[in-house]
Amino acid sequence: MGPVAAPGRARPRPAAGHRRGGHRIHGPDRDREHAPGRSLLGAATLAIAVVALTILLGVTYGFRGRVVGSLLGDAIVLQARAVDYVAIGLMFALAALAVADVLYLGVRERDGELAALKASGWPLTALARLIVTEGVGVGVLGAVVGAGVGLAVTLAVTGTAGAAVAVGALVAGAVAVLLAALASVAPAILVQRLPPARVLARE
């Protein structure tokens, strides 16, 4: 007779992240590891747009649309044109989409936790506010970094950064935060529409 398995002994279940049947299993902790990286990516896309807008507004209002400077010994001419503003507008639009995508993926990965909060009696407005706050946080990070880099680049090229350049940095940062807040509206609505019973049953 062959060996008999001990009765009542459960087979060990594969841990999250192990392979079963050729497929990798991702647990919530593993998915959450990617969240900070995606948030930083969203902030970085906003920061790039803020840098560009800070420099362009500084050139437009601080140097009357054209400035000649030097960087690393090479002469540089910065000139503000209408097409530049259009390009920066597209950059901000892409950055807003990136932030919305980051928040959407975050909601999908945490739908179990969010559904539990909703089932426990959290108001829908509180859940939506949570997502909007995350979006604004990403926007603030991108705005601060982008404005700082934009001011530094303008100072390095022109040798000065007057009040007009500083105001341009503030305006560019405010645009980033506003767009991030708007980008969080759709994910916030998604949170409000989560079906707690179905999500928790799946968990």
Side-chain angles (χ1 to χ4, degrees), residues 56-153:
L56 193 60
L57 289 175
V59 171
T60 301
Y61 297 102
F63 300 94
R64 297 183 179 180
R66 188 174 186 272
V67 60
V68 179
S70 62
L71 184 63
L72 300 178
D74 296 327
I76 293 179
V77 178
L78 298 178
Q79 186 171 355
R81 299 170 300 176
V83 66
D84 297 325
Y85 282 100
V86 173
I88 291 175
L90 292 176
M91 292 172 62
F92 271 106
L94 292 175
L97 289 176
V99 173
D101 184 60
V102 166
L103 297 174
Y104 172 79
L105 291 176
V107 169
R108 301 305 301 176
E109 289 175 355
R110 296 177 298 161
D111 58 357
E113 301 172 10
L114 296 170
L117 291 175
K118 186 175 181 180
S120 65
W122 266 46
L124 296 180
T125 53
L127 290 172
R129 194 181 308 117
L130 178 65
I131 303 303
V132 173
T133 300
E134 293 179 4
V136 171
V138 173
V140 169
L141 178 59
V144 171
V145 174
V149 173
L151 287 173
V153 170

Side-chain angles (χ1 to χ4, degrees), residues 161-200:
V165 179
V167 171
L170 290 175
V171 170
V175 170
V177 175
L178 177 61
L179 285 179
L182 292 176
S184 64
V185 171
I189 294 175
L190 175 63
V191 168
Q192 292 180 318
R193 295 182 177 179
L194 281 177
R198 187 190 311 169
V199 173
L200 293 176

